[in-house]
Amino acid sequence: MSRKMSCSILASVDVLTIILDFACDTAETAIAILLTNKLFHDVAKRLAHRHHVLHFPEFDGNAVENPWFEREDVVPCIQHLSMKGSIDGPLKPSTCRRIAEVFQRIRNLKILSYQLTCPIPFDLLRALEQAHPKAKLRLFYYQRRDITMGPNDPAELALSTCPALISLSCCIPSSAADPFPDLREATFRRMIAAAPNLSFVSIRKDLPGRGDAIESEQLSRLKQPFTADLKSNKSVRHLTLQGYRPTQETLKDWGGIVDLPSIEGFKCFGNGPPDPTFFNVASHMLPHLKRLSANFAFVRDVPALASAVENYLTTCNLLEHISLWTWRPYAPLEIIMRHGPKLLTLELHERESDSRQLMSHEEILIIRENCPRLQDLTVDLGRQTRDGSQEAINTRIFSAIKNFPKLQRLQIYFDVGLSWFLSASPGSLHPLLNVYNDKYDIDVHPLRPTGTFLAKPIVEDIWRQIFERRNFGRRQLDVKYGEIERSHTQIYGAAAWEQDNGMHWQVTPHERDDKRTEPVVYLLRAPVAERPTVKMGKQG
């Protein structure tokens, strides 16, 4: 501790002593103040230590000096425990015993978030249920190590009926080298259908590998023990299917695993654009849907899909959350605004191209007028150019957005400069093109890539225009240069360049009450060429 800090603390103690001296007129009063202080200390300690993370492999090897999980003043206060890291092979029995000891020392564990790369062992599940029978379990990135294993694994059977399991995110990475039979999807389906309190499901399947392509009749026979006597799970409220195409057949297929009328949030993408049949049946197969997410990129039969989408949005129950990518040809804004009275989240995004139509000031006014409850808005805007032509347009738009009565979060997509990239000479391009290479004049094209040095004051100024005078909610601004969410299976050519040069900025209000009008800026993603030299995270 510095001498200046030490003197400051001593001075504060002296001042507090003088103040309390007036209140402590009797010994009883002094004891009461002492007990009150002790109570505040105990409560503050519980709040400070309510969430901790077990990092692997550090915990496995006990390579941490004075680790928190050995401190008796910390462990009993934990309410949310996360396990994160990458491990080769399953957790060792000795590691499971050490984690079980941590469970025993925690007073009231409410949530266990398991984010390891290996399946959760049976012994760990049993230890959790014995020590904290009311705790909730969230599984992330869940994978099956042995993809050909039969239906009788004790850990998988226990997980399928585990009352603690409320959230399951599982992965099915595939390749031509996968052995036969691939029983991973059958395993996950059984788990999803049987878990009694499961409410959130996300399953990600890569493109079909060798196991999906051969001996389909034999594969179906091997899957039968997993899928026999399954009943639709009525507890699931959100279903994300990545690597599946939104079709009527997909809905029918998963209708045997989850109870579709109970689903409130549905997201399906990654294996082709939505089929018109999906929207033709969605109204009656998903009657209680509140959250709709769809990506209309790469559609071939535009008129048929546009008609089906418009009919669905016109006839379905009012939605609370709408997220549409490449939306303009399929969902006119006036049709979306039918859901305006209930909308809490509206995400409208177009993939970057020369023909992309940006959100206009008039459209922002229409959204503001029709969506009085809107809290979260995503739009595409034109980023500032050197000649300042776009700045006046954006200023009008921000003036309209700041008057949304309930808005708490704004997300903006600016172009990353694909037009500039595609306008360069094809013969001079290199797969690892550095956009700041001296042989290119980056000022020639009005949509040249924006560096982090130029972007920071821009995003800070936008936050001030929208949120500086608000005194409620998150007041969060996310600014993305380029579409950085594309999965690895879609990355090639110009999309790869977009990934390498994309940026993600986030701005929130200062956490101190006396500085709530001051923005705190975070750089969450930087261009590849700048990463060695820029500071990630919170900006000074």
Side-chain angles (χ1 to χ4, degrees), residues 251-272:
L251 280 179
K252 287 182 177 180
D253 182 28
W254 280 90
I257 307 300
V258 300
D259 183 56
L260 293 180
S262 300
I263 294 295
E264 297 178 355
F266 184 80
K267 187 175 184 179
C268 184
F269 64 100
N271 194 20

Side-chain angles (χ1 to χ4, degrees), residues 237-499:
R237 294 293 179 267
H238 180 93
L239 178 63
T240 293
L241 302 174
Q242 182 176 353
Y244 299 80
R245 188 183 180 194
T247 66
Q248 179 180 353
E249 290 303 314
T250 300
L251 280 179
K252 287 182 177 180
D253 182 28
W254 280 90
I257 307 300
V258 300
D259 183 56
L260 293 180
S262 300
I263 294 295
E264 297 178 355
F266 184 80
K267 187 175 184 179
C268 184
F269 64 100
N271 194 20
D275 189 80
T277 60
F278 171 82
F279 289 99
N280 290 337
V281 300
S283 289
H284 66 268
M285 294 189 75
L286 297 166
H288 298 114
L289 196 68
K290 296 180 180 179
R291 300 174 182 87
L292 173 68
S293 179
N295 189 337
F296 300 117
F298 309 116
V299 172
R300 294 182 179 179
D301 190 353
V302 174
L305 182 59
S307 176
V309 172
E310 185 171 337
N311 181 67
Y312 170 75
L313 291 174
T314 303
T315 59
C316 70
N317 291 331
L318 294 187
L319 301 168
E320 295 181 0
H321 306 264
I322 295 178
S323 177
L324 302 177
W325 259 223
T326 317
W327 61 283
R328 286 192 180 274
Y330 312 99
L333 187 61
E334 59 267 24
I335 300 297
I336 297 175
M337 288 301 99
R338 172 181 172 266
H339 302 266
K342 275 199 169 184
L343 270 184
L344 300 175
T345 301
L346 180 60
E347 299 180 345
L348 300 175
H349 171 60
E350 290 282 325
R351 183 157 287 174
E352 185 174 338
S353 68
D354 287 334
S355 59
R356 179 170 73 161
Q357 184 177 344
L358 303 174
M359 190 66 69
S360 68
H361 176 257
E362 291 72 21
E363 289 173 321
I364 293 293
L365 293 178
I366 292 172
I367 295 172
R368 190 181 72 186
E369 181 180 348
N370 288 276
C371 306
R373 302 175 64 205
L374 196 67
Q375 299 177 7
D376 194 320
L377 176 64
T378 295
V379 294
D380 300 321
L381 298 180
R383 61 181 166 93
Q384 287 87 337
T385 53
R386 174 155 294 185
D387 61 7
S389 59
Q390 186 64 39
E391 190 169 353
I393 298 174
N394 287 352
T395 299
R396 290 188 70 209
I397 290 175
F398 296 145
S399 295
I401 292 177
K402 76 177 181 180
N403 291 320
F404 277 64
K406 303 287 186 179
L407 191 68
Q408 297 187 29
R409 176 179 178 263
L410 174 65
Q411 180 172 242
I412 299 172
Y413 281 89
F414 288 134
D415 65 88
V416 72
L418 273 179
S419 297
W420 175 89
F421 170 76
L422 296 173
S423 69
S425 171
S428 64
L429 295 180
H430 185 275
L432 299 178
L433 174 68
N434 180 349
V435 299
Y436 299 103
N437 194 312
D438 290 339
K439 56 183 184 173
Y440 298 109
D441 182 1
I442 66 172
D443 292 330
V444 170
H445 198 284
L447 296 180
R448 67 195 185 283
T450 299
T452 56
F453 177 75
L454 295 174
K456 181 180 180 294
I458 292 173
V459 299
E460 187 173 324
D461 179 65
I462 295 173
W463 185 90
R464 290 188 182 279
Q465 292 185 59
I466 304 296
F467 293 115
E468 184 176 33
R469 296 186 180 277
R470 291 184 178 239
N471 56 8
F472 65 90
R474 290 185 292 166
R475 298 195 294 157
Q476 177 178 318
L477 172 69
D478 287 275
V479 176
K480 296 177 180 178
Y481 288 78
E483 189 175 299
I484 62 176
E485 294 88 354
R486 296 194 195 190
S487 65
H488 68 281
T489 57
Q490 299 171 304
I491 302 303
Y492 54 89
W497 183 88
E498 183 178 26
Q499 289 287 302

Side-chain angles (χ1 to χ4, degrees), residues 54 56 81-85 91 99 112-116 124:
L54 283 176
F56 288 77
L81 180 63
S82 297
M83 299 171 60
K84 297 182 179 181
L91 283 178
I99 298 172
L112 175 64
S113 295
Y114 188 91
Q115 303 178 44
L116 300 182
L124 204 57

Side-chain angles (χ1 to χ4, degrees), residues 56-220:
F56 288 77
E58 290 86 353
F59 177 81
D60 202 17
N62 200 14
V64 182
E65 189 174 331
N66 190 25
W68 63 262
F69 47 80
E70 293 184 0
R71 292 174 52 188
E72 289 305 321
D73 62 326
V74 173
V75 174
C77 303
I78 296 173
Q79 297 181 16
H80 182 184
L81 180 63
S82 297
M83 299 171 60
K84 297 182 179 181
S86 179
I87 298 177
D88 294 328
L91 283 178
K92 295 179 292 187
S94 59
T95 302
C96 290
R97 286 193 295 270
R98 293 185 65 206
I99 298 172
E101 290 173 2
V102 174
F103 289 165
Q104 292 290 341
R105 290 158 53 206
I106 296 175
R107 284 198 208 102
N108 182 26
L109 184 64
K110 294 183 178 180
I111 299 174
L112 175 64
S113 295
Y114 188 91
Q115 303 178 44
L116 300 182
T117 53
C118 62
I120 186 168
F122 174 75
D123 291 342
L124 204 57
L125 270 178
R126 185 170 56 184
L128 176 65
E129 291 182 352
Q130 290 176 350
H132 301 280
K134 294 184 179 180
K136 307 300 182 184
L137 174 62
R138 296 173 179 170
L139 292 184
F140 297 82
Y141 323 121
Y142 188 83
Q143 296 188 40
R144 207 181 194 223
R145 286 301 180 104
D146 184 353
I147 70 176
T148 64
M149 184 169 55
N152 299 317
D153 178 65
E156 291 180 350
L157 291 173
L159 197 56
S160 297
T161 58
C162 178
L165 183 61
I166 62 168
S167 177
L168 174 64
S169 299
C170 43
C171 310
I172 310 177
S174 299
S175 72
D178 288 340
F180 180 84
D182 186 346
L183 299 173
R184 290 174 294 182
E185 186 172 1
T187 302
F188 297 146
R189 283 171 174 258
R190 178 180 65 175
M191 199 177 293
I192 294 166
N197 297 313
L198 186 62
S199 62
F200 179 92
V201 173
S202 175
I203 183 167
R204 193 198 78 201
K205 182 174 71 170
D206 289 351
L207 296 176
R210 174 180 173 276
D212 285 339
I214 66 172
E215 302 184 58
S216 57
E217 185 175 337
Q218 181 185 355
L219 184 60
S220 298

